[in-house]
Amino acid sequence: MINPAPASALLHIPTFHDVQTARERISGVAHRTPVLTSRTANARTGAALFFKAEPLQRAGAFKFRGAYNAIAALDTLSRKNGVVAFSSGNHAQALAYAAGLQGVAATVVMPRDAPEIKVSATRGYGARIVFYDRYTEDRVEISERLAREQGAALIPPYDHPDVIAGQGTAALELIEEVGEIDLLVVPLGGGGLLAGSALSARALSPTCTIVGVEPEAGNDGQQSLQKGEVVKIPVPKSIADGALVTHVGDHNFAILKNTVDDIVTVTDAQLVETMRFFAERMKMIVEPTGCLAAAAVLHGAIACSGKRVGILLSGGNIDLKTFSALLDGR
C-alpha cells in the first residue's frame, strides 16, 4: 500500500497528542539522549544553552524516532509488504534499522553522491538500496513506483504525520528534562524535526520563541515562511547534506506557518567552526547538518543573551576522513 502525501485539503496534520503516542511506541527502543551543557558556550553567548544530543541516538540521528514510529503505526498488511523510503542518508539508516528491528523489509532510494558511511550503514542494517542522480532524477517518482510494484508503504523522510510525531519526541524530552525555555532552535531541511519540535514546544513551553535554521545555500523554508506558502528552489549545494531539499513538506509547512517565529541561515564556514567547537570543547562528533541550530546561536544569527535556549543537535553521521578534511579546510 502506498502512502504519498495527499492533496493539501486532505492532509492529516499531527498534534501534540500524536507526539505523546509516538513516545509510547518508541519507549524502550529509542534512546532518551542526554541534554548537554557547556560553560564555554554559555559564556560565549551570554545564555544558558541546553544541547539535545541526537548524535547519540540509535543509527546516529533523530531520524530513528520518526522512522520507528511510522513503521510501528502501520497495519499488518502494510508491514507484511514492506516499506520504501527516499533519503540522502540519515532517514535511510534509521528506516533500515527500525524496519529490521520490527521484522519489516525495507527498500531505500538514495542519491549516488550520498556519503559512503551512510550508504554502508543502510546496507548494514539490511535495506535494499536503489540509487538515483539527485540533479537529474526524481526520487519521489522512483520511490512511488517501487512502492506500487511491491505493494509497500512509502515512508518519506519528513512529509508524513507519523514521522513528524516521532521527531517531536526529541524536543518533548528536552523540555521535560530542563523545564520551560525561552527559545528553541532546530535544524531545518524538509521540516520533520522542526514541525514535530514545534508541536512539543507549543504544548510544554507555550511562550518560547521557535526558530528553524537552514544552510545559507538552501533557504527554501525561510522563503516559504516569509511568503506564507511552500517555495521550491533548485537542489542546493552545501556541506549540510541532510538539509539539501528543494522545499519543505506539505504536512510540515501546515505546522510551521502557524507555530514557528523565524527561520535563519548559516554558512558552511560557520558549520565547520561549530563542528570544531563540539569536537574540541564537548568531545563529540556532530555532522554539518546536525550543527545548523548550534551554529546560528554560537555565531549570533539569533539573539539569545540572558535566555534559556534549547538546541537540537540532529545527528553525527559523518565519516572521519570527511570530518578531518572539513576541519583542515581541504
Side-chain angles (χ1 to χ4, degrees):
M1 171 179 182
I2 183 169
N3 246 341
S8 180
L10 302 177
L11 291 179
H12 167 62
I13 307 304
T15 65
F16 181 59
H17 174 73
D18 295 306
V19 178
Q20 293 173 306
T21 299
R23 194 248 290 271
E24 294 173 4
R25 288 194 186 112
I26 70 174
S27 178
V29 183
H31 295 323
R32 186 180 178 101
T33 53
V35 177
L36 307 177
T37 59
S38 164
R39 292 177 61 185
T40 301
N42 289 351
R44 177 170 168 175
T45 59
L49 308 183
F50 303 97
F51 299 100
K52 181 63 168 170
E54 286 297 287
L56 302 180
Q57 185 53 261
R58 297 184 84 163
F62 76 97
K63 292 284 191 177
F64 181 81
R65 298 172 180 272
Y68 192 93
N69 183 56
I71 294 172
L74 291 174
D75 59 36
T76 302
L77 178 60
S78 296
R79 292 165 65 89
K80 181 179 178 180
N81 290 339
V83 294
V84 173
F86 50 87
S87 168
S88 63
N90 281 343
H91 180 63
Q93 294 173 84
L95 184 107
Y97 193 6
L101 289 174
Q102 298 180 71
V104 176
T107 299
V108 182
V109 177
M110 299 185 73
R112 289 192 181 92
D113 61 351
E116 180 56 35
I117 187 175
K118 297 183 179 182
V119 173
S120 296
T122 302
R123 277 206 185 98
Y125 292 136
R128 177 172 77 100
I129 298 176
V130 175
F131 289 106
Y132 78 101
D133 185 324
R134 74 164 86 224
Y135 299 105
T136 63
E137 295 181 286
D138 189 326
R139 64 182 186 173
V140 177
E141 287 183 3
I142 296 170
S143 300
E144 289 179 347
R145 174 177 55 79
L146 291 169
R148 284 193 300 271
E149 292 172 355
Q150 300 173 25
L154 178 61
I155 300 180
Y158 49 84
D159 197 3
H160 189 291
D162 293 322
V163 171
I164 293 170
Q167 316 308 27
T169 60
L172 182 156
E173 292 174 4
L174 168 65
I175 298 170
E176 281 184 340
E177 183 163 338
V178 306
E180 291 199 29
I181 52 179
D182 302 306
L183 173 64
L184 178 65
V185 190
V186 184
L188 172 59
L193 183 59
L194 181 55
S197 297
L199 293 176
S200 293
R202 287 290 170 247
L204 301 177
S205 190
T207 62
C208 81
T209 298
I210 302 173
V211 180
V213 186
E214 296 177 297
E216 185 179 64
N219 71 331
D220 57 286
Q222 185 182 60
Q223 293 183 53
S224 298
L225 192 65
Q226 292 170 351
K227 193 171 181 180
E229 62 185 46
V230 175
V231 172
K232 297 184 179 181
I233 63 172
V235 177
K237 293 186 178 182
S238 166
I239 62 172
D241 65 280
L244 301 186
V245 302
T246 60
H247 59 92
V248 297
D250 292 332
H251 292 84
N252 315 81
F253 189 69
I255 297 170
L256 304 185
K257 68 180 181 181
N258 295 317
T259 57
V260 171
D261 297 288
D262 197 10
I263 295 172
V264 302
T265 66
V266 294
T267 66
D268 281 3
Q270 290 171 332
L271 291 176
V272 171
E273 197 283 328
T274 305
M275 291 166 61
R276 180 177 290 107
F277 171 83
F278 284 121
E280 292 180 349
R281 294 290 184 168
M282 298 181 71
K283 314 309 175 190
M284 180 168 52
I285 293 177
V286 185
E287 65 184 285
T289 307
C291 287
L292 283 166
V297 171
L298 294 175
H299 290 87
I302 304 168
C304 60
S305 179
K307 297 179 180 179
R308 289 169 50 83
V309 185
I311 299 172
L312 291 184
L313 307 178
S314 58
N317 291 316
I318 182 170
D319 66 88
L320 293 181
K321 182 178 179 181
T322 302
F323 184 81
S324 298
L326 287 172
L327 295 192
D328 289 343
R330 291 185 272 121

